[in-house]
Amino acid sequence: MDPLSEYMRGITRENPIFALALGLCPALAVTTSLENAIGMSAATAFVLICSNVIVSSLRKQIPATVRLPMFIIIIATFVTIVNMVMQAYFPPMHAALGVFIPLIVVNCMIIGRAEAYANRNNVPYSLIDALGIATGFLIALSMIGGVRELFGTGQIVTFGYTLITMPVDPSITTMILPPGAFLTIGILMAIVNYQKERKRARGG
Amino acid sequence: MVEKELFSIFMDGVFIKNFIVIQFLGLCPFIGVTKDVKSAAGISAAVIFVMTMASMATYAIYTYVLIPAEMEFLNVITFIVVIASLVQLVEFIVRKKLPALYRSLGIFLPLITTNCAVLGVVLLSRNSAYDFTQSVVFGIAAGIGFMIIMLLMSAMREKTDFMRVPSSIRGLPMAFFLATMLSLAFVNYFWVIPI
């Protein structure tokens, strides 16, 4: 296995949001702004990387019959750590993400990687896989968050810097309300599918 | 007074804070199991059941075990273990005592452990400091709201299955467009009704 292609696989062919449709709850709920999307991706990435490494290093010790409860407990431990760290050092971000930080426990993407990859591969490859999936998750969430913030509020403000401004009627807030999330992911997914079909038609 | 409060918690759970289209909890079954009405109804029934049981069990454990031991920070780990064992227990009891129900719910019960809506309802009622009755009402209400959306969504997907749409929209993107309309209806409709 080539490490670089293992890494890229998480971003393109097995992108958790656009290709596998896993971990949709946080991807839609907290992406009202680019900043929240990045914060959520960082928290998820930490849990995913730690759980993949620990599961992979314990894969010979964990009996196959109780592996799912073991994975859930490993993941829940790291979620508790991330929850307490964010509460202590980033209180505004913790308040914005709310209940979705503890809910990383039941993110099917993380348990899916533990079961499908970390349980069968060695530690370095599990780390690379986790990094790739986390990058893919970050890209997908940033796209959704960026589009929603731009069309919902007319500007993208991230950590105090105004990146883009656009004249949008501020009374139309549909894009940062729940329907906007479904609409954005639907359109982005359709674009991804369209590109995939064109690539296949060209024989790629 | 108390009854009105319970009623408003109920309406909150079913419509205003609907778990799927407003709070985005439980999207995996919403997208994955709404291809036909029958399985949608099956999983919703199982979810209502588990949500109610989980609300009761986690309230008791949080109040009588975690708070006296001053270990509230362990709530996520405890709740997920409680939900997982509860699902196992429910599956076991239903299989022994109600074989007919088991045949219709059977395959959906294990899936519910990793359903974020169940952990979500439990964490939200702990965050809002609901008492026992309020937690149970909120659990039932959230389950009913879940069921309404699952049934509407699966009916819409069955109807639109044979529509002629561009091939890149077929499947998941189409499901998300339908969800947009459902969510739009819920956001705007239930905002104007003062409860």
Side-chain angles (χ1 to χ4, degrees):
Chain A
M1 284 188 291
D2 169 28
L4 185 68
S5 73
E6 285 291 291
Y7 177 73
M8 291 306 289
R9 186 174 50 91
I11 302 174
T12 54
R13 209 172 69 242
E14 289 187 15
N15 187 298
I17 303 289
F18 293 130
L20 305 180
L22 293 175
L24 288 175
C25 305
L28 296 182
V30 299
T31 49
T32 49
S33 69
L34 186 59
E35 197 177 306
N36 287 352
I38 293 172
M40 187 69 209
S41 312
T44 312
F46 173 78
V47 177
L48 177 62
I49 291 166
C50 293
S51 81
N52 246 18
V53 167
I54 297 289
V55 166
S56 169
S57 49
L58 292 177
R59 68 186 189 281
K60 297 206 175 74
Q61 274 76 39
I62 297 177
T65 43
V66 293
R67 66 185 192 285
L68 288 178
M70 295 293 289
F71 296 165
I72 290 180
I73 290 173
I74 290 169
I75 295 167
T77 311
F78 289 111
V79 169
T80 308
I81 294 171
V82 106
N83 194 16
M84 290 165 88
V85 169
M86 286 191 88
Q87 204 166 5
Y89 292 101
F90 312 99
M93 181 72 86
H94 185 265
L97 300 181
V99 77
F100 284 92
I101 295 283
L103 283 179
I104 297 175
V105 173
V106 282
N107 190 327
C108 21
M109 179 180 92
I110 294 177
I111 200 160
R113 285 338 280 177
E115 165 75 13
Y117 199 92
N119 198 26
R120 294 179 196 150
N121 290 283
N122 61 13
V123 176
Y125 275 105
S126 300
L127 179 65
I128 291 169
D129 176 72
L131 285 172
I133 295 280
T135 317
F137 192 67
L138 172 69
I139 291 171
L141 256 69
S142 309
M143 278 165 76
I144 301 170
V147 168
R148 285 181 70 189
E149 192 180 358
L150 185 62
F151 287 95
T153 63
Q155 55 183 2
I156 297 184
V157 181
T158 304
F159 305 111
Y161 300 99
T162 308
L163 300 179
I164 311 170
T165 52
M166 196 177 75
V168 172
D169 183 354
S171 61
I172 304 171
T173 53
T174 315
M175 285 306 270
I176 48 174
L177 289 178
F182 286 119
L183 187 64
T184 310
I185 196 172
I187 291 172
L188 287 175
M189 221 173 230
I191 294 172
V192 169
N193 282 353
Y194 178 68
Q195 291 294 345
K196 224 184 266 172
E197 276 168 19
R198 271 187 43 180
K199 200 173 163 193
R200 205 177 299 135
R202 281 202 306 265
Chain B
M1 189 62 211
V2 175
E3 280 129 41
K4 188 174 183 295
E5 224 167 66
L6 284 182
F7 181 71
S8 83
I9 288 176
F10 185 80
M11 293 308 276
D12 252 23
V14 178
F15 295 117
I16 297 161
K17 292 185 191 163
N18 184 287
F19 264 60
I20 298 178
V21 290
I22 307 293
Q23 308 217 39
F24 301 111
L25 292 166
L27 286 181
C28 298
F30 176 60
I31 297 298
V33 205
T34 48
K35 291 203 180 72
D36 61 299
V37 177
K38 214 176 154 220
S39 359
I43 195 159
S44 317
V47 164
I48 294 181
F49 198 52
V50 174
M51 270 183 178
T52 317
M53 302 288 287
S55 300
M56 290 181 199
T58 53
Y59 177 82
I61 285 173
Y62 191 75
T63 320
Y64 300 114
V65 179
L66 287 187
I67 290 181
E70 291 180 354
M71 293 201 293
E72 290 98 328
F73 65 91
L74 285 179
N75 59 359
V76 177
I77 298 186
T78 320
F79 290 169
I80 192 77
V81 172
V82 168
I83 292 172
S85 32
L86 196 71
V87 169
Q88 287 284 313
L89 186 72
V90 166
E91 193 187 354
F92 183 71
I93 293 172
V94 171
R95 191 167 56 196
K96 286 278 174 212
K97 300 284 176 197
L98 302 161
L101 184 66
Y102 180 75
R103 271 194 297 278
S104 51
L105 292 188
I107 44 166
F108 298 118
L109 277 171
L111 288 176
I112 291 172
T113 314
T114 53
N115 183 342
C116 41
V118 177
L119 188 60
V121 77
V122 166
L123 288 172
L124 283 177
S125 54
R126 285 289 65 72
N127 286 352
S128 330
Y130 286 160
D131 66 18
F132 183 74
T133 330
Q134 288 170 328
S135 308
V136 173
V137 169
F138 188 61
I140 296 173
I144 293 173
F146 185 87
M147 183 172 222
I148 292 173
I149 295 293
M150 291 291 279
L151 291 180
L152 283 175
M153 181 70 175
S154 53
M156 290 201 322
R157 281 183 83 171
E158 274 189 357
K159 289 277 181 215
T160 54
D161 222 15
F162 299 108
M163 266 169 54
R164 284 166 53 87
V165 292
S167 58
S168 46
I169 293 182
R170 192 172 293 283
L172 278 181
M174 188 67 194
F176 281 117
F177 291 147
L178 293 175
T180 310
M181 292 172 215
L182 256 181
S183 176
L184 209 55
F186 266 65
V187 166
N188 294 333
Y189 194 63
F190 293 103
W191 262 9
V192 294
I193 304 176
I195 295 174

